Amino acid sequence: METPALYDDEAGGDANADDPAIWVNERDRGASRVIATAKNGGLRVYDLAGRERQAIATPPAPGEDDEAGRFNNVDLVQGFRLGGRSVDLAVVTDRGRDQLRFYRIDPATGTLTDVTAPDVPFAFSAGQAEVNEQRTAYGLATYRDFDGTPYAVVSRRSTSEVGLFKLVAKGAAVSYQRVDRLTLPSTFRLPDGSAWSPCADPGDGPQVEGSVVDPATRVAYLAQETVGLWRVAVWGGRFRGAPQPVERTREFGVPAHFDEAEDDCVVDYAADPGYGGRIAADVEGLTILRTGPLTGTLLVSSQGDDTFYTYDRLTLRPTGRFAVVDGARTDGSQACDGAAVTATALPGFPGGLLVVHDGQNTPADGDRENTNFKFLDAGFLRGARTS
C-alpha cells in the first residue's frame, strides 16, 4: 500500500517526502505508526493502512532573512528517561535551522508532542549567518552505547563531515552535546596512481545522508552519496578507527565535471576505468532487518537505478538485489531516499514491515509532481536471495 501523495508546491504545503521510521506500539501492534519527514512540510505520521494521522509543522525562521525549519531525516530512541519516566522519542534533523528536534510518542495513541529544549545548540554552525549557508544537520542514525547512553550520528550537508551527539534530558525537554566528529575522504588514490574526486556543485563536498547503526555491534554504516558505503565502529562516545569501505558506487573513479550551463555534473562514462562497484549513485537509504541477535539483512538504496542491494548483516556478504515495481494497487518506488524496516509482525504485514520512499510517485496531478511512501511486507528479505 502507499501513503497519500505529497506535493512540493504552495498548494501542497511545500511537502516533499524523504525519510521514514517505524514505531512499533508494544501495547497494540495495530496502532503502530510510520513517522516520516516531508522537508519544508514538516513531519507526517501514518497508520498501518497508510492513512495520515498527524502533521507537524517545522519551526519558523528566527529572523526575516533566516531559514525556516526543514526536516530531513528521522530516527527513534526507545526508553529515554525524561521527566522521571521512560518515553519513546522521534529524533529529527532540521537542516533549515541546523538543529536536532525531539518528539515524545504517546504510548497509547502514537501522537507526537514536541519536547525539544528551547536552547538547543546549532549542530555544526558557529552562528545564524553560517546556518543560512545551509551546511547543516542532514542525515541521521540513533543508537544506544554499550552502557545505555543514547547518541545520534548526524551528517553535515554539502560536506563529508559526520558528527556524534550525546542526547541529554533537560527537565521535561531534550537537548544534545556534540562529543566527536569524523570526516570521510573526499579525494581518492586510484589503482592506476591517479587521484579522483567525485563531481559536486562548486564548493561542495561529497555528503552523507543515509545512515544506520547496528545496535548489536555498534557499527555505523554511512552512505556517502557519490562515493559509496562506509562502515566505522562507534562506541564509548567516539568514532573508533578509520572508516572502511563496504562497496563503491558504479561511478567511482569515472571522470566528471560540473557543467555550469546544465547546472549539473556531466559524467564521462566512456572513460570508466572500471574501479567502481554495483551501486548506482546516489547511495541512499540504509536500514537493517534484524532477525536475531546478529542475523539479518542490511538494505541499501541504489538510487541511480531505482533498485536496492542487500547484504548479510554480520559478514556484509552481498545477498541480492531487488526493485519495488508497479503492482495492481499502487505504483513502485523510484529515486528512493529513505527506507526503514522492522522484523516485528504487524497487522497486514506478517513478515514485518518495509517502508521505502518514492521520489516519483504516480499518477501525477497534471504538472504537479509528487512523492510518498510505499509499505511492503518484509518477509521476502528473510534469508532468501532477492532478484
Side-chain angles (χ1 to χ4, degrees), residues 201-343:
D201 290 354
D204 286 351
Q207 68 187 12
V208 169
E209 183 174 10
S211 310
V212 68
V213 178
D214 191 309
T217 62
R218 275 67 170 187
V219 170
Y221 296 93
L222 306 172
Q224 193 175 23
E225 295 179 347
T226 54
V227 175
L229 177 63
W230 298 87
R231 67 187 301 270
V232 62
V234 56
W235 51 269
R238 294 290 184 269
F239 292 106
R240 301 288 177 170
Q244 300 297 316
V246 176
E247 184 160 355
R248 302 301 196 194
T249 61
R250 294 179 196 171
E251 296 82 0
F252 185 84
V254 180
H257 71 279
F258 186 82
D259 188 305
E260 292 187 2
E262 296 289 334
D263 192 29
D264 201 358
C265 289
V266 177
V267 182
D268 185 5
Y269 290 101
D272 184 352
Y275 302 137
R278 302 173 303 160
I279 305 172
D282 290 347
V283 189
E284 288 288 349
L286 300 178
T287 188
I288 297 174
L289 179 74
R290 291 179 284 152
T291 57
L294 289 173
T295 59
T297 297
L298 171 67
L299 181 149
V300 180
S301 169
S302 175
Q303 190 180 66
D305 62 3
D306 302 329
T307 67
F308 300 83
Y309 285 95
T310 58
Y311 305 79
D312 180 86
R313 175 186 173 192
L314 184 60
T315 66
L316 298 182
R317 175 180 58 85
T319 57
R321 179 186 182 217
F322 69 93
V324 179
V325 299
D326 294 354
R329 298 173 57 190
T330 70
D331 64 310
S333 168
Q334 292 79 42
C336 175
D337 268 335
V341 69
T342 178

Side-chain angles (χ1 to χ4, degrees), residues 34-359:
V34 173
I35 303 165
T37 57
K39 296 185 180 175
N40 290 351
L43 277 180
R44 302 300 166 98
V45 181
Y46 303 102
D47 63 20
L48 294 181
R51 296 171 297 205
E52 184 180 300
R53 292 296 190 177
Q54 188 179 9
I56 297 173
T58 60
E64 183 178 354
D65 297 324
D66 298 329
E67 296 288 339
R70 182 176 172 89
F71 289 171
N72 207 72
N73 281 48
V74 59
D75 207 347
L76 305 179
V77 174
Q78 295 179 305
F80 187 88
R81 295 298 299 178
L82 185 65
R85 58 178 176 151
S86 178
V87 303
D88 292 348
L89 297 175
V91 185
V92 180
T93 48
D94 184 345
R95 67 183 259 196
R97 300 285 300 272
D98 193 26
Q99 296 173 336
L100 303 183
R101 300 199 66 83
F102 305 91
Y103 297 86
R104 186 184 69 244
I105 306 172
D106 187 285
T109 66
T111 302
L112 273 59
T113 301
D114 192 345
V115 290
T116 309
D119 60 348
V120 291
F122 297 134
F124 296 101
S125 305
Q128 185 61 46
E130 190 174 351
V131 173
N132 292 342
E133 296 175 1
Q134 290 297 278
R135 295 189 174 213
T136 48
Y138 201 59
L140 170 73
T142 59
Y143 73 99
R144 286 189 178 277
D145 208 342
F146 291 110
D147 64 358
T149 303
Y151 290 91
V153 175
V154 182
S155 64
R156 188 177 191 183
R157 182 175 180 265
S158 300
T159 78
S160 55
E161 183 179 350
V162 182
L164 181 61
F165 296 82
K166 180 181 178 181
L167 309 185
V168 295
K170 296 186 69 174
V174 186
S175 187
Y176 50 89
Q177 305 161 352
R178 189 171 66 187
V179 295
D180 201 9
R181 67 170 63 192
L182 170 74
T183 301
L184 292 176
S186 56
T187 300
F188 302 86
R189 181 68 59 185
L190 300 178
D192 64 4
S194 64
W196 176 82
S197 295
C199 181
D201 290 354
D204 286 351
Q207 68 187 12
V208 169
E209 183 174 10
S211 310
V212 68
V213 178
D214 191 309
T217 62
R218 275 67 170 187
V219 170
Y221 296 93
L222 306 172
Q224 193 175 23
E225 295 179 347
T226 54
V227 175
L229 177 63
W230 298 87
R231 67 187 301 270
V232 62
V234 56
W235 51 269
R238 294 290 184 269
F239 292 106
R240 301 288 177 170
Q244 300 297 316
V246 176
E247 184 160 355
R248 302 301 196 194
T249 61
R250 294 179 196 171
E251 296 82 0
F252 185 84
V254 180
H257 71 279
F258 186 82
D259 188 305
E260 292 187 2
E262 296 289 334
D263 192 29
D264 201 358
C265 289
V266 177
V267 182
D268 185 5
Y269 290 101
D272 184 352
Y275 302 137
R278 302 173 303 160
I279 305 172
D282 290 347
V283 189
E284 288 288 349
L286 300 178
T287 188
I288 297 174
L289 179 74
R290 291 179 284 152
T291 57
L294 289 173
T295 59
T297 297
L298 171 67
L299 181 149
V300 180
S301 169
S302 175
Q303 190 180 66
D305 62 3
D306 302 329
T307 67
F308 300 83
Y309 285 95
T310 58
Y311 305 79
D312 180 86
R313 175 186 173 192
L314 184 60
T315 66
L316 298 182
R317 175 180 58 85
T319 57
R321 179 186 182 217
F322 69 93
V324 179
V325 299
D326 294 354
R329 298 173 57 190
T330 70
D331 64 310
S333 168
Q334 292 79 42
C336 175
D337 268 335
V341 69
T342 178
T344 301
L346 299 172
F349 304 94
L353 174 62
L354 171 65
V355 180
V356 297
H357 162 255
D358 181 10

